[in-house]
């Protein structure tokens, strides 16, 4: 069911380009979230359908932020069962290189952390604010299909080539406090939106009015129907 809520977030907290008369999609995700990976094809379809009419803002949730590094061993047993549920429900497939770390956690050198991919997204948003969905889809493909460790700077190099981003300035920003603060700002916004799990998609209409469109995986047809109902409710004209 769709429901609307009134957030306690002050208007000034959101980036200035979100202050428009048109509604804005707010997509709360985390790069290390397997269900977000499964939801990625749905969001790409939503993006293709609506990106010319509405801005889609992606917020990193900060799902994994341990005070001290925690090995993949801590979550591998859970993921060994959970990834199959994601595949069954969404149709997406996890790659062998990713699954090697899940089924050989004692040999893996992975210490998952949401910070670096969130910083990378913050950098990307300043360069290509209208291509956020494409970037996070590539980011999650790199992790879950190709088995790239998103805590390693080199995991991002192939994406810099794809998007024609200069490497040296990018890696400088990836290690800067400025963009780290931007990433943690996203984490704060997700908390203030009362997001407790991922993925989650909202539609912002006006300063404080939010519609919850998806909480957890939702198929495209269901989600598209919800969006159409909300847009009809708030009487947005010119939407096909």
């Amino acid at each position: 069911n769709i429901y609307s809520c009134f957030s306690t977030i002050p208007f000034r907290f959101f980036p200035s380009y979100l202050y428009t008369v048109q509604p804005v999609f707010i997509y709360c995700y985390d790069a290390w979230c397997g269900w977000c990976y499964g939801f990625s094809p749905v969001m790409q379809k939503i993006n293709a359908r609506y990106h010319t009419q509405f801005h889609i803002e992606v917020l990193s949730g900060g799902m994994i932020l341990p005070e001290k590094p925690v090995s993949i061993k801590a979550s591998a047993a859970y993921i060994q069962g959970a990834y199959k549920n994601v595949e069954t429900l969404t149709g997406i497939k996890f790659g062998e290189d990713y699954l090697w770390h899940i089924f050989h956690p004692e040999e893996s050198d992975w210490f998952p952390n949401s910070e670096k991919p969130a910083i990378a997204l913050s950098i990307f948003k300043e360069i290509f604010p209208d291509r956020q969905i494409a970037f996070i889809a590539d980011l999650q493909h790199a992790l879950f299909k190709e088995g790239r460790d998103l805590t390693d700077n080199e995991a991002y190099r192939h994406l810099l080539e794809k998007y024609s981003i200069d490497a040296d300035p990018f890696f400088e920003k990836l290690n800067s406090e400025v963009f780290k603060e931007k990433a943690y700002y996203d984490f704060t916004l997700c908390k203030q939106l009362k997001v407790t799990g991922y993925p989650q998609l909202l539609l912002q209409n006006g300063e404080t009015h939010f519609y919850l469109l998806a909480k957890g995986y939702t198929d495209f047809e269901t989600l598209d129907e919800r969006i159409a109902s909300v847009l009809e409710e708030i009487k947005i004209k010119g939407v096909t």
Side-chain angles (χ1 to χ4, degrees):
N1 295 329
I2 302 169
Y3 64 85
S4 57
C5 61
F6 291 87
S7 173
T8 58
I9 298 178
F11 189 56
R12 65 181 182 276
F13 279 1
F14 281 114
S16 59
Y17 56 79
L18 298 188
Y19 304 161
T20 67
V21 294
Q22 289 283 70
V24 174
F25 288 103
I26 307 290
Y27 178 45
C28 301
Y29 105 116
D30 192 272
W32 285 90
C33 168
W35 282 107
C36 296
Y37 173 57
F39 192 52
S40 180
V42 175
M43 283 305 303
Q44 291 178 73
K45 290 181 181 178
I46 293 297
N47 185 56
R49 178 155 167 71
Y50 294 103
H51 79 279
T52 60
Q53 298 151 320
F54 308 112
H55 177 72
I56 301 179
E57 180 72 8
V58 180
L59 299 179
S60 299
M63 184 178 75
I64 305 175
L65 296 170
E67 292 184 5
K68 297 181 180 179
V70 177
S71 168
I72 192 68
K73 291 184 288 187
S75 54
Y78 167 77
I79 297 173
Q80 287 172 14
Y83 91 89
K84 297 176 183 178
N85 296 333
V86 177
E87 289 189 335
T88 299
L89 185 60
T90 72
I92 206 158
K93 296 298 179 184
F94 290 77
E96 291 183 5
D97 289 334
Y98 167 77
L99 292 175
W100 182 89
H101 292 271
I102 304 306
F103 286 95
H104 302 85
E106 298 293 336
E107 301 174 57
S108 175
D109 59 355
W110 279 13
F111 289 80
N113 192 302
S114 297
E115 183 179 287
K116 186 161 288 185
I119 297 173
L121 175 60
S122 294
I123 299 168
F124 187 86
K125 287 198 285 190
E126 289 206 347
I127 304 170
F128 297 117
D130 296 326
R131 300 176 69 184
Q132 297 179 38
I133 295 297
F135 180 73
I136 64 170
D138 287 338
L139 202 58
Q140 293 207 290
H141 181 85
L143 170 62
F144 291 110
K145 191 68 175 179
E146 299 174 341
R148 300 178 191 260
D149 178 6
L150 297 184
T151 68
D152 181 358
N153 286 3
E154 289 303 310
Y156 302 87
R157 192 174 294 277
H158 71 296
L159 296 181
L160 305 185
E161 296 172 359
K162 176 176 181 177
Y163 289 95
S164 300
I165 297 172
D166 290 338
D168 289 344
F170 175 85
F171 287 121
E172 182 178 341
K173 292 174 181 178
L174 194 62
N175 294 303
S176 75
E177 286 298 317
V178 171
F179 283 90
K180 180 178 177 179
E181 289 177 5
K182 291 179 183 293
Y184 277 81
Y185 190 71
D186 276 10
F187 303 159
T188 299
L189 289 179
C190 284
K191 289 179 181 178
Q192 294 197 13
L193 283 168
K194 299 177 172 56
V195 175
T196 57
Y198 310 96
Q200 191 158 315
L201 180 65
L202 305 99
L203 186 73
Q204 179 187 4
N205 182 45
E207 295 184 9
T208 58
H209 199 188
F210 295 84
Y211 292 86
L212 180 61
L213 300 170
K215 187 173 184 178
Y217 177 79
T218 307
D219 64 78
F220 172 75
E221 290 73 17
T222 300
L223 182 54
D224 197 38
E225 289 177 4
R226 291 177 182 174
I227 293 170
S229 296
V230 167
L231 293 177
E232 182 177 356
E233 179 179 326
I234 58 181
K235 299 179 180 178
I236 300 299
K237 297 180 180 180
V239 177
T240 55

